[in-house]
Amino acid sequence: MIDDLMVDSQHDELFTQHTEDKRSVAPKVLAAICALVITALVLAGYALLRKRHAQSSPGLVAAGNEIPVEPRKPSQALITVDEALLQKGNTILGGTVKNTSAEKLEGLAVELELKRRQDGGAETQLVTLEPAQLGPEQEGRYSLQLKAQDYSSARLVALKAGSNLSVPYTTAPGQKRPPERIASKTITIAKPAAKRGEFLNSPDNPARVP
């Protein structure tokens, strides 16, 4: 009887121990399954976001496929920009254009962007070159007169030739604004006549003696 109890108690302990081992393994398996599920969800979400980004940005190129860059055209003209002159309430803009290419350029005009004072808006204006046709190494001049009260600034934006064809160019500073002349005035101060018994040259009334 005692032996049976000992065997039964041993069986109970073995059963209990085996059950505890199963219980300790189950959470680990469950955690591993959860980790796999979360990893799969993250990868699926990343793939979905990448697909949406690619659809919303059709201009982007896949890795390894580069967009060929168009080579920059060589300059065909040199434009100098003079400092603006103020004359009788008007602003005078001007400069020169030199043909630095080996070809003849025709119908030349510079395009200026003018900023209005009233509303801050911008407008463009073509200023024809004089002469409008330039052979190689020839030079022409442009000039524009504006009311100073109407426009606050101007900048060069393009050089046009013929039927609105843009000509590549480079720029350089032109003539500087001449310094303003200040008219000199001669002021004559009349000295009071000396009173009787008073010297003209005294500490109180100094005077230069020739």
Side-chain angles (χ1 to χ4, degrees):
M1 184 71 177
I2 295 175
D3 294 337
D4 293 338
L5 289 174
M6 291 179 63
V7 171
D8 291 341
S9 63
Q10 288 177 0
H11 281 303
D12 289 343
E13 288 177 3
L14 290 173
F15 178 78
T16 304
Q17 184 179 3
H18 186 63
T19 306
E20 289 177 354
D21 291 342
K22 286 184 177 181
R23 289 180 180 176
S24 62
V25 171
K28 295 180 180 179
V29 174
L30 184 60
I33 294 173
C34 291
L36 290 174
V37 172
I38 292 173
T39 304
L41 291 175
V42 170
L43 292 175
Y46 175 74
L48 182 62
L49 289 176
R50 189 173 180 180
K51 183 178 179 181
R52 287 183 178 178
H53 181 68
Q55 291 176 350
S56 62
S57 307
L60 296 178
V61 214
N65 298 329
E66 298 181 357
I67 299 177
V69 180
E70 203 173 300
R72 187 175 180 181
K73 296 180 180 179
S75 172
Q76 294 182 316
L78 173 65
I79 303 179
T80 63
V81 182
D82 298 343
E83 291 186 359
L85 293 176
L86 295 177
Q87 192 176 46
K88 297 180 180 180
N90 295 326
T91 302
I92 301 175
L93 307 174
T96 61
V97 177
K98 182 179 181 180
N99 182 0
T100 57
S101 70
E103 302 176 359
K104 186 177 182 180
L105 301 178
E106 299 180 352
L108 291 174
V110 294
E111 184 176 354
L112 302 178
E113 184 183 75
L114 310 175
K115 189 174 182 181
R116 296 186 294 268
R117 289 185 183 274
Q118 187 174 2
D119 57 0
E123 63 182 69
T124 58
Q125 187 166 343
L126 285 174
V127 184
T128 306
L129 207 64
E130 182 60 40
Q133 297 181 1
L134 295 178
E137 298 301 320
Q138 287 187 344
E139 189 175 283
R141 184 164 185 83
Y142 65 93
S143 180
L144 177 64
Q145 183 171 315
L146 303 169
K147 291 185 178 180
Q149 60 185 6
D150 294 340
Y151 299 95
S152 60
S153 65
R155 70 183 185 96
L156 176 68
V157 294
L159 175 63
K160 302 293 184 178
S163 56
N164 213 24
L165 178 67
S166 294
V167 178
Y169 64 91
T170 55
T171 60
Q175 297 179 1
K176 294 186 177 295
R177 184 186 304 112
E180 297 181 1
R181 295 181 180 179
I182 301 175
S184 58
K185 295 181 180 180
T186 303
I187 301 175
T188 304
I189 301 176
K191 294 182 179 180
K195 297 181 181 179
R196 192 171 184 181
E198 183 180 2
F199 291 101
L200 289 176
N201 188 8
S202 65
D204 296 332
N205 187 21
R208 185 176 180 182
V209 178

